[in-house]
Amino acid sequence: MDARTTNSTEASKEGYLHATAAHDLEKQDSIQDRSPLDAFKLGSDNDSVQSDRDPGNLEKALSPQPTKPHHEPPPPTTAEDWNGPDDPDNPLNWTMRKRALHIAPIAFLSFATTAGSSMITPAAPEIARYFDVSRTASILSLSLFVLGLGLGPIIAAPISEKLGRGVVYKASGPIYMLFILGSGFSKSFGGLLVCRLLAGTSGGPVLAVGSGTIADMFPPRHRAIASGTYIMAPFLGPALGPVIGGFAAQFKDWRWTQWCTIFIALAAYLTILPMSETYKKIILQRRAKKLHILPPATPPVSALAQLKILVTITIARPLVMLATEPIVLFLSLYNAFTFSVLFAFFAAYPYTFESVYGFDTWQYGLTFLGIGLGVLLAVLTNVLVDRLVYTKKTAQALKEGRHMAAPEHRLYCAMLGSVGIPNGLFWFAWTARRDVHWISPVLAGIPFAWGNLCVFISAAMYLVDVYGALNGASAMAANGLARYGLGAAFPLFTFQMYERLGIGWATSLLGFISLAMVGIPFVFFKFGPRIRANSRYGTLKV
């Protein structure tokens, strides 16, 4: 292989690896891929056609000569990397239609998983009576499920690295449905709680691996719309879960909230089955097996080394970043608080609409449609900001010789949404009373949910842009641990807080805390470059 071929191959690899770095495991792959090996090399530039005629020897020229090939035999083909930048197997080169058909199933499955967390909440009073426990104890069926959603990604990360994204989707779906089935058939309160915890844990991997699938198919500068559309589903699930669960609990019984969860999950799982693998390493391994060629070279890793990676990278690093990195700490706290308020509403809404307006179970379930509308508006906002602002900033950066815009330009939606959160909370706090129509507190959920999702999407993209693939995955893991940990705790004290402080002051307390956090995205927008420069981890330099 001559120098020109090697340099060209290395340059194309460097460009590809930079565009598709999405999380911790892929970064490890990219380090291995920086060798100068050519993928699917079919010849050499040094090949030459030799004449079969020797001008200095006419007799030799006229005599029969053995036929010589015009080219030397091609060297052995390998599957070390893509077959050039236009390789059709590369998910970045798939048609938009094919990529959309891979986003929709994982979004649907994510919706089915998170809807399962809240669908049981309208049945909390019946569960309390059935198992003879307090209403607060019955809320554990929600809290433990949410805690499981935070534990699931820890299991998914090593499986995704070893076996690919598709295995995680196709294996976790049936396990999730089996534990939901166990919840519905539970004869004891302890059995219900254990099954709910394990259902959340088995359903959680799709929430973590889904973002990796998006990163496999879209380069960073085109990822905002796809990511926003996908992220909408896990937020829409908790909003619509009580709507479905309200009807099931009102006209059937609490077990039907679990049967409905299974029906939705089964429908979502069927859409997963035709999906193709998107993880580069697994695609190349399957290509090698199909063509009977050497698979990608991977160094042998002992079980002890794999355990060390799990402890130091998957578990320890997110905790360290949460404690030492200001960007990770404050954005995680902000996202955790707003996420927890959303789950606190699963206790606050029934308390408010039943005690103030006398709503039935199915009626207060419908009040969550306001939150669902806010989620849809947040996705629309992110699409518009990406098209009208971020895309222009990226184009300007490319003209200036930079590969992307500064990460702080991801924060426009967060700055907008941070204002909507306290507005929604204060609106709900002081209009949820008998002399004000019930539609007013319902509509208050729109700005809250809109701001909540706007802040989360911006924070997620900002963290990945700032810390890159390797540390960005750990930063998002820290964010997830904070969100699900706090989200599991909030519903457990919401009833007591609303009973003692009243609806107005209890919700206002949440509003004042959110008001104190409004400045977080503005501070990072202004001082982000300076804060990034002092990071102990490798951050983006633009």
Side-chain angles (χ1 to χ4, degrees), residues 42-43 117 138 175 178 228 276 377-379:
L42 300 177
S117 68
S138 69
I175 298 173
L178 284 174
S276 303
L377 292 176
V379 174

Side-chain angles (χ1 to χ4, degrees), residues 5 31 141 162 166 176 185 253 282 306 384-385 420 441 490 532:
T5 305
I31 294 173
S141 60
K162 186 72 176 177
Y176 168 69
F185 282 119
D253 60 26
I282 303 302
Q306 291 178 345
L384 291 176
V385 170
F490 258 54
R532 286 190 279 116

Side-chain angles (χ1 to χ4, degrees), residues 393-440:
K393 296 293 183 181
T394 301
Q396 181 181 350
L398 293 174
K399 289 181 181 179
E400 295 172 356
R402 294 178 285 127
H403 65 275
M404 63 183 295
E408 285 69 34
H409 294 298
R410 295 287 196 185
L411 295 173
Y412 293 117
C413 276
M415 291 186 284
L416 291 173
S418 64
V419 180
I421 296 170
N423 280 335
L425 291 175
F426 286 121
W427 181 354
F428 183 90
W430 299 109
T431 63
R433 58 180 193 264
R434 288 184 176 87
D435 59 332
V436 177
H437 195 275
W438 58 263
I439 195 63
S440 184

